[in-house]
């Protein structure tokens, strides 16, 4: 019999009428011939209210007791939901995380799921019950109640769907799907019919609040089709699966991250271990660093820029001041009036002419680009915060995101064709047997020696230059892989580096030299011999420290890092070409315990 998991978020169970409406949805699904597991969040703002209460009795409540408290929110919901199902004439049983057997580690308030027992749920389902599971909670080895972090009921839902090999996991919420950008910010945003796990992971980490990041990681790791849809209507929403909405679409969505701050370290000694020193100090303070950009060093010195959340600027500055002291860094500058604009799309990994389209749109809107970083499926730029809104609008329009892409299938068809295949199920069972469910999962460590680097120095900091450079490069049919533009120590200047296939280096240099002279840049240099080292897997974001492990391992091997880029599923670093093999070996050793 098909099995579906239906998750109802806090706003979908905010009062008794809504609880009854959710119960009706589950009963209907059961009457249509499915076994049904409901996963339920705490009612409305309950979790916030409980947090507030806790803070009234203790400024820093013990984490264990916090979990004891917060888990009660979900316990209220599941009991009421079971009563509601009974009142409508069907059978239901509510279960806490502990009663199901959701085992987690002991990291209170942000525990990770290790395993889930299916015995009890299966028995109850077979005897005709709707199983009503409390979201967001589990128990550790010693039976302490744990919670999974804010928004964690999504994660519970997808985890249950994974272990039960559910045919689908429906996430009922107060929005009716995933949009090309936040529709509250931009009314022209379009609701997608489908999005790939990788794209959703990127958008979720950029602040698209539709789904808990870890839930999407679960979906990807265990092949769970996730259907995000409205709890207040019956319309189909957005499927999160392996495939994108339509083949070859370069960009599926864009996002704005408003509260960023930039820090630049000028004159960092360009030697192995510098980045490690800096970023481990930030890591120790649990500061999430984003958009790391390192200039190619000159005279043994490099500049490193990165962004941090605006409210962590002060703590970050403390950390880098320590590093500056230790390493002998010349100067530290910062700016807390910046925002990040990103575009995401699986299709851009294989096409030319994506970056230039974004940069041209920004130039057209008169927006200056301060920094650029890219990954295989994401391009991010840093801009002035007061220009961010118009930047987002320009980018959304440039990629015609308001229009349904050609070749997109109908929603009914997408939903119907998203059930896992028999082979998927076999693979998942194998995966579940071999590991803790949320363990860091590295599936590839690789070395790419096919690329060369071009660097333009002293690029005047005015709108339109990046657009021009990448338009000309695209016109010459050169595929660009990595792009980084850093913010120079010298005000009003930037350094722009990008990588191209080795065979195209001289063509790319011709273009770069011509533009450098047209725009009075300081100079152009290149390296025909670079090596790109990549670590890819699932959980690179939620398991912080992957980049740190790479830095440490390369530093111990005496290898200097040139360029860096990171995404949810991959971290890439560029090193000197002569260090490729050695770097690969050191990374293989560093990740041996988690490589599958
Ligand atoms: N009730 C928890 C929270 O508000 C979990 C959830 O809603 O997913 O964060
Ligand atoms: Mg909630």
């Amino acid at each position: 019999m098909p099995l579906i998991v239906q998750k109802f978020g806090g706003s979908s169970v905010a009062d008794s009428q809504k609880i009854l409406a959710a119960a009706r949805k589950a009963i209907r699904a059961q009457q249509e011939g499915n076994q049904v597991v409901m996963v339920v969040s705490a009612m409305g703002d309950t979790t916030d209210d409980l947090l507030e209460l806790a803070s009234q009795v203790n400024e820093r409540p013990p984490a264990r007791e916090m979990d004891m408290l917060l888990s009660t929110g979900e316990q209220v919901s599941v009991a009421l939901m079971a009563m509601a199902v009974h009142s409508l004439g069907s059978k239901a049983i509510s279960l806490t995380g502990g009663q199901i057997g959701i085992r987690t580690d002991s990291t209170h308030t942000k525990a990770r799921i290790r395993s889930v027992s299916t015995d009890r749920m299966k028995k109850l389902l077979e005897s005709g019950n709707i199983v009503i599971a409390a979201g967001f909670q589990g128990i550790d080895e010693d039976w302490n109640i744990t919670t999974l972090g804010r928004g964690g009921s999504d994660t519970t839902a997808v985890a249950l769907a994974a272990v039960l090999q559910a045919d689908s996991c429906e996430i009922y919420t107060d929005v009716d799907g995933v949009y090309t950008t936040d529709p509250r910010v931009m009314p022209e945003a379009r609701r997608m019919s489908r999005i790939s796990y990788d794209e959703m992971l990127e958008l979720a980490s950029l602040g698209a609040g539709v789904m808990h990041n870890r839930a999407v990681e679960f979906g990807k790791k265990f092949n769970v089709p996730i259907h995000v849809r409205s709890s207040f209507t019956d319309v189909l929403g957005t499927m999160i699966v392996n495939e994108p909405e339509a083949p070859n679409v370069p960009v599926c969505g864009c996002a704005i991250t408003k509260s960023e701050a930039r820090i630049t370290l000028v004159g960092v000694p360009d030697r192995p271990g510098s980045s490690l020193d800096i970023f481990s100090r930030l890591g120790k303070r649990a500061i999430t660093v984003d958009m790391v950009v390192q200039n190619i060093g000159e005279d043994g010195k490099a500049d490193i820029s990165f962004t941090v959340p605006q409210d962590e600027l002060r703590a970050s500055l403390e950390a880098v001041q320590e590093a500056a002291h230790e390493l002998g860094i010349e100067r530290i500058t910062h700016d807390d009036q910046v925002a990040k604009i990103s575009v995401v799309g699986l299709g851009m990994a294989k096409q030319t002419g994506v970056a230039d389209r974004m940069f041209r749109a920004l130039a057209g809107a008169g927006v200056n680009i301060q920094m650029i970083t890219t990954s295989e499926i994401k391009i991010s730029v840093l801009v002035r915060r007061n220009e961010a809104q118009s930047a987002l609008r320009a980018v959304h329009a440039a990629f015609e995101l308001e229009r349904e892409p050609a070749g997109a299938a109908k929603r009914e068809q997408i939903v119907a064709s998203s059930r896992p295949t028999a082979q998927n199920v076999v693979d998942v069972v194998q995966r579940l047997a071999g590991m803790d469910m949320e363990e860091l999962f590295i599936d590839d460590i690789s070395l790419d020696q096919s690329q060369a680097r071009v660097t333009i120095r002293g690029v005047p900091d005015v709108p339109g230059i990046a657009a021009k450079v990448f338009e000309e490069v695209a016109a010459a049919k050169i595929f660009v892989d990595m792009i980084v533009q850093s913010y120079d120590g010298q005000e009003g200047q930037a350094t722009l580096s990008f990588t191209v296939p080795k065979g195209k280096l001289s063509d790319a240099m011709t273009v770069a030299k011509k533009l450098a002279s047209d725009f009075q840049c300081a100079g152009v240099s290149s390296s025909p011999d670079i090596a790109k080292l990549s670590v890819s897997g699932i959980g690179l974001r939620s398991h912080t420290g992957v980049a740190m492990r790479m830095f440490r391992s390369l530093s111990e091997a005496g290898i200097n890092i040139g360029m860096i880029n990171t995404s949810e599923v991959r971290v890439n670093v560029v090193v000197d070409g002569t260090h490729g093999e050695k770097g690969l070996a050191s990374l293989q050793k560093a990740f041996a315990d988690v490589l599958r």
Side-chain angles (χ1 to χ4, degrees):
M1 196 188 268
L3 191 157
I4 63 176
V5 173
Q6 298 186 323
K7 181 253 169 179
F8 293 87
S11 55
S12 308
V13 293
D15 57 40
S16 51
Q17 287 313 309
K18 288 184 175 147
I19 291 177
L20 282 161
R24 274 186 217 105
K25 276 199 195 294
I27 292 171
R28 177 148 38 105
Q30 191 187 41
Q31 285 167 348
E32 286 166 1
N34 299 289
Q35 293 187 328
V36 181
V37 174
M38 296 176 88
V39 174
V40 188
S41 292
M43 293 171 69
D45 298 329
T46 304
T47 309
D48 291 321
D49 297 344
L50 292 171
L51 281 166
E52 169 59 29
L53 253 177
S55 75
Q56 288 172 16
V57 292
N58 188 333
E59 261 172 45
R60 302 184 55 202
R64 181 189 181 280
E65 305 312 325
M66 197 55 129
D67 279 351
M68 187 66 103
L69 178 69
L70 295 188
S71 65
T72 61
E74 272 69 15
Q75 203 172 322
V76 169
S77 304
V78 288
L80 290 171
M81 188 64 77
M83 293 175 192
V85 173
H86 281 274
S87 79
L88 296 167
S90 290
K91 280 165 69 177
I93 287 212
S94 64
L95 297 173
T96 64
Q99 287 171 331
I100 293 169
I102 300 182
R103 292 282 173 179
T104 70
D105 64 20
S106 303
T107 326
H108 284 290
T109 75
K110 41 180 188 294
R112 285 179 203 280
I113 298 179
R114 286 194 159 144
S115 64
V116 179
S117 146
T118 55
D119 300 350
R120 189 160 182 187
M121 285 190 290
K122 279 188 177 154
K123 263 195 214 118
L124 289 168
L125 288 168
E126 266 148 36
S127 52
N129 289 285
I130 293 176
V131 169
I132 302 174
F136 174 58
Q137 55 176 268
I139 47 164
D140 75 358
E141 253 176 6
D142 300 320
W143 300 84
N144 295 302
I145 295 178
T146 53
T147 65
L148 308 179
R150 294 308 305 270
S153 298
D154 287 344
T155 299
T156 305
V158 185
L160 295 188
V163 296
L164 293 165
Q165 272 97 50
D167 294 274
S168 145
C169 179
E170 301 182 327
I171 305 287
Y172 285 96
T173 172
D174 50 4
V175 293
D176 55 1
V178 181
Y179 281 73
T180 51
T181 196
D182 187 342
R184 287 165 306 185
V185 179
M186 272 188 58
E188 53 269 57
R190 184 181 60 83
R191 192 164 61 100
M192 291 178 253
S193 54
R194 177 163 69 186
I195 183 169
S196 68
Y197 295 121
D198 286 354
E199 291 166 327
M200 190 66 227
L201 278 171
E202 297 292 350
L203 287 175
S205 83
L206 292 168
V210 226
M211 270 204 83
H212 206 218
N213 230 38
R214 281 159 59 192
V216 186
E217 288 178 352
F218 260 114
K220 177 173 172 170
K221 197 188 266 181
F222 300 109
N223 247 309
V224 179
I226 302 170
H227 186 174
V228 179
R229 57 191 304 186
S230 164
S231 45
F232 310 123
T233 68
D234 284 327
V235 296
L236 301 175
T238 304
M239 289 300 299
I240 310 175
V241 289
N242 263 316
E243 303 79 28
E245 186 171 34
N248 305 321
V249 181
V251 166
C252 75
C254 57
I256 184 168
T257 318
K258 270 224 173 99
S259 309
E260 297 274 291
R262 172 192 56 79
I263 296 180
T264 298
L265 310 183
V266 183
V268 181
D270 192 11
R271 58 164 188 256
S274 292
S275 323
L276 176 65
D277 186 284
I278 296 161
F279 293 113
S280 56
R281 285 175 206 275
L282 292 156
K284 250 182 239 141
R285 290 172 169 80
I287 294 167
T288 38
V289 175
D290 190 33
M291 278 193 95
V292 180
V293 169
Q294 177 166 354
N295 266 349
I296 296 309
E298 212 175 358
D299 313 324
K301 302 267 180 174
D303 296 346
I304 299 180
S305 297
F306 54 88
T307 59
V308 295
Q310 197 185 3
D311 54 9
E312 290 176 358
L313 175 62
R314 188 178 296 165
S316 308
L317 285 172
E318 267 170 38
V320 295
Q321 261 138 17
E322 270 175 32
H325 219 77
E326 190 71 29
L327 297 170
I329 292 168
E330 282 162 23
R331 211 148 38 87
I332 300 170
T333 67
H334 65 269
D335 182 352
D336 65 355
Q337 292 302 312
V338 291
K340 182 176 68 172
I341 304 288
S342 309
V343 299
V344 169
L346 274 190
M348 74 173 73
K350 304 179 293 279
Q351 298 175 33
T352 56
V354 183
D356 59 289
R357 209 158 137 194
M358 176 180 191
F359 302 157
R360 175 54 62 200
L362 294 167
V367 175
N368 186 38
I369 303 173
Q370 300 186 359
M371 271 168 58
I372 306 171
T373 58
T374 62
S375 73
E376 277 75 8
I377 66 165
K378 176 179 71 183
I379 305 170
S380 296
V381 299
L382 199 69
V383 303
R384 288 209 66 70
R385 185 168 308 135
N386 60 11
E387 296 176 339
Q389 194 72 34
S390 50
L392 184 74
R393 174 153 289 121
V395 168
H396 196 274
F399 289 100
E400 299 181 335
L401 296 180
E402 68 290 348
R403 283 174 46 184
E404 181 170 307
K410 289 262 159 297
R411 281 202 161 73
E412 293 70 26
Q413 212 178 318
I414 290 172
V415 173
S417 66
S418 296
R419 299 187 184 273
T421 62
Q423 186 56 45
N424 287 157
V425 172
V426 172
D427 293 346
V428 168
V429 171
Q430 219 171 23
R431 222 166 238 204
L432 281 168
M435 62 191 292
D436 276 2
M437 288 187 84
E438 276 191 271
E439 213 171 280
L440 175 62
F441 182 90
I442 302 288
D443 58 4
D444 192 36
I445 296 177
S446 62
L447 166 64
D448 173 3
Q449 290 178 301
S450 68
Q451 298 190 58
R453 172 185 54 79
V454 177
T455 296
I456 309 178
R457 275 179 220 287
V459 179
D461 204 9
V462 294
I465 299 188
K468 193 76 194 151
V469 170
F470 294 103
E471 273 165 3
E472 302 257 327
V473 170
K477 302 235 162 10
I478 301 171
F479 180 80
V480 174
D481 180 23
M482 289 170 81
I483 302 174
V484 304
Q485 179 184 302
S486 63
Y487 191 84
D488 267 19
Q490 267 154 319
E491 298 297 318
Q493 296 221 316
T495 300
L496 180 59
S497 295
F498 54 96
T499 65
V500 299
K502 273 188 177 149
K504 295 280 189 182
L505 177 60
S506 70
D507 292 357
M509 279 299 278
T510 309
V511 172
K513 279 184 183 145
K514 174 176 162 292
L515 290 170
S517 97
D518 289 356
F519 290 110
Q520 277 134 27
C521 304
V524 180
S525 63
S526 70
S527 167
D529 197 20
I530 58 169
K532 176 169 140 187
L533 292 161
S534 312
V535 172
S536 54
I538 305 174
L540 301 196
R541 180 86 170 197
S542 54
H543 291 264
T544 51
V546 170
M548 207 61 66
R549 221 199 269 203
M550 284 178 87
F551 292 167
R552 181 161 298 124
S553 132
L554 294 171
S555 157
E556 279 163 11
I559 298 171
N560 197 20
I561 297 169
M563 293 159 79
I564 305 164
N565 74 24
T566 59
S567 72
E568 295 304 307
V569 294
R570 204 171 163 104
V571 181
N572 300 307
V573 299
V574 170
V575 303
D576 193 89
T578 54
H579 288 146
E581 299 289 349
K582 191 167 140 202
L584 181 64
S586 84
L587 291 180
Q588 275 163 343
K589 204 167 118 218
F591 288 96
D593 59 324
V594 280
L595 181 63
R596 319 219 157 235

